[in-house]
């Protein structure tokens, strides 16, 4: 077949714009274009020696060089054939390949409309790099509305994007190109031309895999994992976490046991958490981040699990292993801010795009990071879709949203004059409030049974008018249809602060600060709380949880055991950072990892055994979790015995079950200490933190106390018991009457003198 020899009259100026990267529609110039004389095919092959069109059936049509690497040929016909391009370069053999510019856009009009509206909940399915087996390549799409040009660059074109300019898909701000021959494993970035005429190499904001730091490129990947957790997901969808046990083990994947991959963690971490009896794990952020010392809280690739530990499918393996063992998975999510790295989101298309353009709203004074523009529909869409992505693509069971307070307040960490009021005259960030409500409502709608958890350190009052006469939103864990933020849970930072402050004091002085240990019950039902003893409390010079306890080493260990038993009996769900479950002595170091060798010592092994037994007893007694969010689930026995440093209370299950918790925060035991109880008869001592099994002194009640019909504390019955020094005792009615329910290793509960 011969080509029309008539010269291609395409404008050289258009070709110059194409080659310089400023042509918004390279597909309008390149590819196949039917016309009166046939179909004119143009390709861009800089530095090529010969270029030939290969038509179906194998016939060839030589192409003529037009200008600056653009070659052209016209073939007979009225429609674009399924052609290929044969190219030779000096001193190289001929290669035959597909033409990127013969393919239709990979995003439809509905996709572009939803992106512009900020309502594309499956954003990761249309933007980023997506392998297209049916097309023999990978499609690339990126949102960069203010760019003057975008090119695809990577190892597939020697990081020279001149041959791969992308097309702008109208007012959506999306640029798109399908590049044949590119598959999983290819490394890429986008070369973006800013308004100032400079090019910037940017990682893909939607990348589902990134190179292992310090490398910064994005990586094409495909999901091939076959899930085995269908039974878990079915149970989760029917579960109400508010009325279920929730005992969370917080983990930094890189330092739990340093050097483990996702696959190895899937075996070792699953076994450990199962043995310890936790119901959930919570991972510090796993999204890719360049600086390991940020622990993942300065994210650059929001859609990519960190490649430090393996591939996205291997992260799926980890989640799947935990699910099949009956363990839920919560992941920390960081929509509050992102780092300034020039190759990532900052000034993405040469302008403030993901970050707010106003420095008073777009720059974080504490962390040196940038703040998302929560009012921009496309940015809000990027974040909402990201939350859905982690829940649906990786089957995670909840997101703990970091630094919510920094999002809610325009004056967060800012002095007078460094912030401007909102449209109502208040200090609340109305855009952030709207974003959080949308994210929570969307996630709960799409994925029933999950938990959205706020790390929010203030008593959020809602949004008020300038006259403070009305509230537009109220309650962090109130539903969005009740004008709340819509979270399922909120971290109880007040409980954490007050409790640690109390326990850091010498027992001699605790009586003067008794309100610190009881105050949390004043507001315990104002939100749905998680009680956190998190990584934040064991870093930056704060010391380990063990070393926060007052006194010598014996008292510190006793205090830690008492804290953990008090915490698990207190209304609310519980979270404990790794290492605290065996009383790590030193402050946590993400470089050094945990001090597992300490388990050779009885006191550390004793704390670990207590945590195992406590979790077992917790799960076995619905009184400790069925009515966490209801005042009907708690009653004080006596909250006022500050002189003895004792407090006691009852927990009630919706099933009628009862558990009494008696806490002695004095350094001496109390003999014949009488407490009121709801009924006479035997009560089993199901947990005693001073048992010798836990390296305690052994003070206790031989596993059982007998309540008699003697009113006390306003109750019809009472019992006299021995309360151990710096110890906590859990009691439940013993229907069998033999005390055999005294679990938790309470094997040595004798009459031991003061420790």
């Amino acid at each position: 077949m011969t080509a029309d020899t008539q010269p291609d009259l395409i404008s050289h100026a258009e070709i110059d714009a194409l080659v310089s990267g400023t042509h918004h529609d390279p597909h309008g110039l390149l590819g196949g274009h039917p016309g009166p004389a046939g179909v004119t095919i143009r390709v861009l092959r800089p530095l090529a020696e010969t270029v030939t069109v290969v038509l179906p059936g194998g016939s060839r049509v030589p192409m003529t060089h037009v200008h600056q690497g653009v070659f052209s040929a016209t073939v007979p016909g009225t429609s674009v054939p399924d052609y290929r391009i044969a190219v030779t370069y000096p001193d190289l053999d001929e290669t035959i390949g597909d033409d990127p510019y013969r393919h239709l856009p990979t995003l439809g009009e509905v996709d572009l409309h939803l992106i512009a509206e900020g309502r594309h909940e499956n954003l990761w399915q249309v933007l980023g790099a997506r392998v297209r087996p049916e097309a023999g390549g990978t499609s690339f799409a990126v949102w960069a509305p203010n760019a003057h040009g975008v090119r695809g660059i990577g190892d597939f074109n020697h990081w020279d994007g001149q041959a791969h300019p992308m097309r702008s898909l109208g007012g959506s701000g999306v640029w798109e190109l399908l590049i044949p021959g590119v598959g999983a494993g290819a490394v890429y970035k986008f070369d973006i031309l800013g308004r100032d005429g400079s090019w910037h190499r940017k990682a893909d904001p939607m990348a589902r895999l990134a190179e292992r730091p310090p490398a910064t490129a994005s990586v094409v990947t495909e999901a091939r994992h076959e899930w085995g957790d269908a039974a878990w997901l079915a149970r989760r969808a029917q579960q109400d976490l508010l009325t279920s046990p929730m005992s969370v083990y917080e983990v930094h994947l890189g330092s739990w046991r340093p050097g483990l991959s996702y696959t190895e963690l899937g075996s070792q971490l699953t076994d450990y958490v199962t043995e310890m009896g936790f119901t959930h794990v919570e991972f510090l952020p796993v999204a890719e981040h360049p600086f390991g010392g940020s622990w993942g809280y300065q994210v650059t690739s929001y859609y990519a699990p960190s490649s430090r530990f393996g591939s996205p499918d291997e992260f799926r393996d980890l989640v799947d292993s935990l699910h099949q063992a009956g363990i839920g998975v919560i992941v920390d999510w960081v929509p509050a801010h992102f780092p300034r790295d020039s190759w990532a989101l900052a000034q993405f298309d040469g302008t403030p795009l993901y970050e707010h353009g106003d420095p008073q709203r777009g720059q974080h004074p504490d962390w040196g990071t940038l703040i998302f523009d929560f009012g921009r529909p496309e940015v809000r869409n990027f974040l909402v879709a990201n939350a859905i992505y982690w829940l649906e693509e990786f089957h995670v069971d909840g997101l703990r949203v970091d630094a919510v307070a920094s999002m809610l307040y325009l004056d967060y960490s800012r002095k007078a004059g460094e912030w401007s009021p909102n449209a109502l005259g208040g200090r609340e960030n109305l855009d952030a409030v709207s974003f959080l409500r949308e994210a929570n409502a969307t996630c709960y709608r799409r994925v029933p049974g999950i938990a959205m958890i706020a790390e929010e350190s203030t008593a959020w009052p809602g949004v008020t008018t300038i006259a403070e006469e009305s509230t537009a939103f109220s309650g962090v864990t109130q539903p969005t249809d009740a004008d709340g933020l819509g979270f399922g849970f909120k971290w109880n930072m007040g409980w954490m602060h007050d409790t640690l402050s109390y326990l850091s004091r010498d027992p001699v002085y605790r009586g003067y600060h008794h309100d610190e240990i009881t105050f949390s019950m004043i507001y315990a039902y104002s939100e749905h709380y998680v009680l956190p003893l998190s990584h934040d409390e064991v870093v930056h010079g704060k010391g380990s949880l063990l070393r926060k306890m007052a006194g010598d080493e014996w008292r510190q260990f006793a205090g830690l055991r008492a804290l953990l038993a008090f915490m698990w009996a207190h209304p609310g769900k519980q979270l404990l950072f790794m290492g605290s479950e065996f009383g790590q002595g030193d402050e946590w170091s993400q470089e050094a990892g945990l001090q597992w060798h300490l388990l050779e010592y009885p006191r550390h092994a004793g704390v670990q055994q207590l945590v195992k037994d406590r979790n077992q007893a917790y799960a076995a007694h619905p009184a400790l979790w069925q009515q966490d969010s209801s005042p009907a689930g708690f009653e004080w026995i006596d909250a006022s015995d500050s002189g003895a440093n004792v407090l006691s209370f009852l927990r009630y299950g919706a099933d009628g079950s009862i558990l009494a918790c008696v806490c002695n925060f004095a350094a001496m035991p109390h003999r014949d200490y009488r407490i009121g109880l709801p009924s006479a008869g035997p009560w089993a001592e199901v947990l005693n933190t001073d048992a010798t099994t836990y390296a305690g002194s052994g003070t206790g009640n031989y596993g059982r106390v007998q309540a008699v019909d003697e009113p006390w504390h306003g109750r019809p019955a009472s019992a006299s018991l021995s309360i151990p020094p710096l110890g906590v005792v859990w009691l439940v009615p013993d229907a069998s009457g033999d005390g055999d329910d005294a679990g938790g290793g309470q094997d040595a509960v004798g009459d031991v003198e003061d420790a």
Side-chain angles (χ1 to χ4, degrees):
M1 184 178 292
T2 59
D4 192 327
T5 58
Q6 183 176 348
D8 193 333
L9 299 180
I10 189 71
S11 162
H12 284 199
E14 272 201 276
I15 294 177
D16 289 339
L18 176 74
V19 172
S20 68
T22 60
H23 200 297
H24 280 228
D25 185 20
H27 291 71
L29 182 64
L30 302 175
H33 301 276
V39 177
T40 299
I41 298 174
R42 302 186 193 95
V43 298
L44 176 61
R45 294 294 186 274
L47 306 179
E49 192 170 70
T50 67
V51 183
T52 303
V53 177
V54 181
L55 295 170
S59 61
R60 290 173 167 240
V61 178
M63 304 189 79
T64 302
H65 182 253
V66 180
H67 180 61
Q68 291 222 67
V70 172
F71 291 77
S72 174
T74 301
V75 300
T78 58
S79 60
V80 179
D82 185 14
Y83 66 90
R84 297 295 182 269
I85 303 296
V87 185
T88 63
Y89 293 93
D91 302 322
L92 294 175
D93 294 335
E94 181 185 78
T95 60
I96 299 178
D98 198 358
D99 178 16
Y101 299 95
R102 76 174 186 88
H103 293 275
L104 295 171
T106 55
L107 288 84
E109 290 299 322
V110 173
D111 292 320
L112 297 176
H113 173 76
L114 291 174
I115 290 171
E117 291 288 317
R119 299 292 180 185
H120 204 306
E121 295 178 2
N122 295 340
L123 193 65
W124 69 93
Q125 295 180 359
V126 294
L127 295 184
R130 300 180 61 213
V131 177
R132 306 273 185 167
E134 75 285 356
T138 296
S139 64
F140 296 87
V142 62
W143 178 62
N146 300 306
H148 281 201
V150 180
R151 293 167 168 168
I153 56 174
D155 56 3
F156 47 83
N157 61 15
H158 308 290
W159 297 95
D160 182 351
Q162 190 177 71
H164 290 115
M166 301 175 70
R167 63 177 147 201
S168 171
L169 298 180
S172 67
V174 174
W175 300 73
E176 181 269 351
L177 181 66
L178 188 145
I179 304 181
V182 176
V187 181
Y188 71 100
K189 283 188 177 181
F190 296 112
D191 210 6
I192 297 178
L193 179 62
R195 290 175 175 175
D196 61 356
S198 61
W199 288 90
H200 305 274
R201 293 189 167 190
K202 293 285 192 175
D204 181 3
M206 302 293 299
R208 284 170 281 178
L209 178 62
E211 286 187 298
R212 182 168 182 165
T216 60
S218 305
V219 182
V220 178
T221 187
E222 288 184 280
R224 298 185 180 275
H225 177 76
E226 294 185 7
W227 290 94
D229 63 348
W232 168 269
L233 297 183
R235 290 195 303 272
R236 185 185 72 183
Q238 302 301 318
Q239 178 180 253
D240 180 2
L241 280 174
L242 288 176
T243 59
S244 302
M246 188 173 175
S247 173
V248 184
Y249 185 56
E250 188 186 32
V251 177
H252 177 258
L253 290 175
S255 60
W256 182 71
R257 287 179 182 163
L260 297 185
S261 66
Y262 289 132
T263 301
E264 292 165 327
L265 285 160
S267 172
Q268 297 185 35
L269 180 61
T270 300
D271 288 348
Y272 182 75
V273 174
T274 302
E275 177 189 3
M276 293 300 298
F278 289 96
T279 66
H280 291 72
V281 294
E282 180 176 316
F283 296 148
L284 272 62
V286 296
E288 195 60 87
H289 50 284
F291 176 47
S294 77
W295 314 323
Y297 289 99
Q298 295 197 6
V299 178
T300 47
S301 294
Y302 275 78
Y303 286 76
S306 178
S307 58
R308 290 171 173 85
F309 315 113
S311 70
D313 267 356
E314 287 169 332
F315 179 68
R316 290 181 175 93
D317 288 339
L318 169 58
V319 176
D320 208 351
S321 295
L322 287 160
H323 280 176
Q324 292 185 51
I327 307 297
V329 180
I330 300 165
V331 171
D332 279 15
W333 185 49
V334 193
H337 64 122
F338 60 92
R340 297 173 178 265
D341 299 77
S342 61
W343 50 269
L345 294 178
Q347 296 272 318
F348 185 75
D349 63 358
T351 67
L353 186 65
Y354 287 91
E355 67 270 37
H356 201 291
D358 181 350
Q360 290 191 340
R361 297 195 181 191
Q363 299 179 15
H364 201 292
D366 283 351
W367 304 321
T369 51
L370 300 174
I371 301 171
F372 284 103
D373 185 352
F374 300 111
R376 186 163 192 163
E378 299 93 338
V379 174
R380 190 179 64 243
N381 193 170
F382 171 81
L383 292 171
V384 172
N386 184 242
I388 300 168
Y389 174 76
W390 287 99
L391 296 169
E392 294 190 352
E393 288 291 320
F394 296 104
H395 290 200
V396 302
D397 304 289
L399 299 175
R400 175 267 197 186
V401 185
D402 181 64
V404 170
S406 74
M407 302 167 66
L408 293 176
Y409 300 101
L410 296 170
D411 62 345
Y412 187 90
S413 292
R414 298 181 190 274
K415 300 175 183 177
E418 296 178 347
W419 65 281
S420 301
N422 61 35
L424 301 177
R427 55 193 284 255
E428 301 85 8
N429 187 332
L430 302 180
D431 291 335
V433 170
S434 178
F435 156 69
L436 289 170
R437 298 181 80 232
E438 179 182 346
N440 288 325
T442 304
C443 288
Y444 277 115
R445 170 175 53 82
R446 296 227 358 183
V447 194
I450 55 95
M452 299 295 288
I453 305 169
E455 185 214 13
E456 202 283 308
S457 55
T458 72
W460 169 248
V463 178
T464 57
T465 67
I466 190 169
E468 297 186 353
E469 294 175 350
S470 63
T471 299
F473 306 93
S474 62
V476 172
T477 58
Q478 289 293 313
T480 55
D481 59 8
D483 294 329
L485 294 183
F487 284 96
F489 296 96
K490 169 181 170 173
W491 275 19
N492 193 335
M493 310 297 281
W495 172 89
M496 177 275 299
H497 179 271
D498 290 346
T499 300
L500 293 182
S501 173
Y502 176 82
L503 292 174
S504 70
R505 305 180 189 277
D506 189 286
V508 172
Y509 303 110
R510 287 177 181 170
Y512 301 103
H513 302 276
H514 196 70
D515 61 313
E516 288 183 331
I517 201 70
T518 60
F519 180 68
S520 59
M521 289 310 303
I522 299 295
Y523 61 88
Y525 303 107
S526 61
E527 303 274 10
H528 303 314
Y529 282 117
V530 171
L531 310 182
L533 292 176
S534 73
H535 67 281
D536 281 330
E537 309 318 314
V538 294
V539 291
H540 301 318
K542 297 177 184 177
S544 68
L545 200 58
L546 175 68
R547 301 306 177 204
K548 294 179 190 298
M549 304 297 106
D552 59 17
E553 186 172 89
W554 191 96
R555 291 186 179 187
Q556 287 181 334
F557 274 97
L560 177 58
R561 295 193 303 267
L563 165 61
L564 296 177
F566 165 66
M567 174 182 180
W568 255 251
H570 191 287
K573 311 307 180 183
Q574 297 83 20
L575 175 140
L576 185 67
F577 185 58
M578 63 183 196
S580 297
E581 82 276 12
F582 59 82
Q584 173 153 314
D586 292 344
E587 183 174 276
W588 169 58
S589 164
Q590 65 103 10
E591 293 89 1
L594 299 186
Q595 298 174 302
W596 293 104
H597 66 279
L598 294 176
L599 287 169
E600 299 172 10
Y601 301 97
R603 286 175 177 168
H604 292 280
V607 174
Q608 187 189 56
Q609 186 62 50
L610 170 73
V611 171
K612 291 181 188 178
D613 294 341
R614 178 212 60 194
N615 277 336
Q616 183 180 19
Y618 169 77
H621 292 92
L624 291 173
W625 40 264
Q626 274 188 342
Q627 298 195 97
D628 269 330
S629 59
S630 169
F634 178 93
E635 286 181 356
W636 285 114
I637 296 173
D638 185 4
S640 61
D641 194 358
S642 59
N645 290 351
V646 173
L647 57 89
S648 52
F649 54 87
L650 295 168
R651 295 298 310 277
Y652 294 95
D655 61 355
S657 59
I658 304 174
L659 183 142
C661 178
V662 186
C663 308
N664 177 20
F665 293 114
M668 63 182 68
H670 294 298
R671 313 292 182 184
D672 298 322
Y673 190 93
R674 185 166 293 278
I675 63 166
L677 290 171
S679 62
W683 286 65
E685 188 179 72
V686 296
L687 193 75
N688 182 331
T689 64
D690 196 46
T692 55
T693 307
Y694 311 138
S697 70
T699 301
N701 302 278
Y702 301 96
R704 183 169 175 267
V705 299
Q706 185 72 29
V708 296
D709 291 320
E710 181 179 344
W712 205 263
H713 291 136
R715 313 238 167 229
S718 61
S720 179
L721 58 153
S722 292
I723 315 176
L726 298 171
V728 172
V729 172
W730 291 0
L731 303 170
V732 297
D734 184 5
S736 68
D738 58 13
D740 287 342
D741 194 24
Q746 313 305 313
D747 57 337
V749 284
D751 189 14
V752 179
E753 293 304 316
D754 299 4

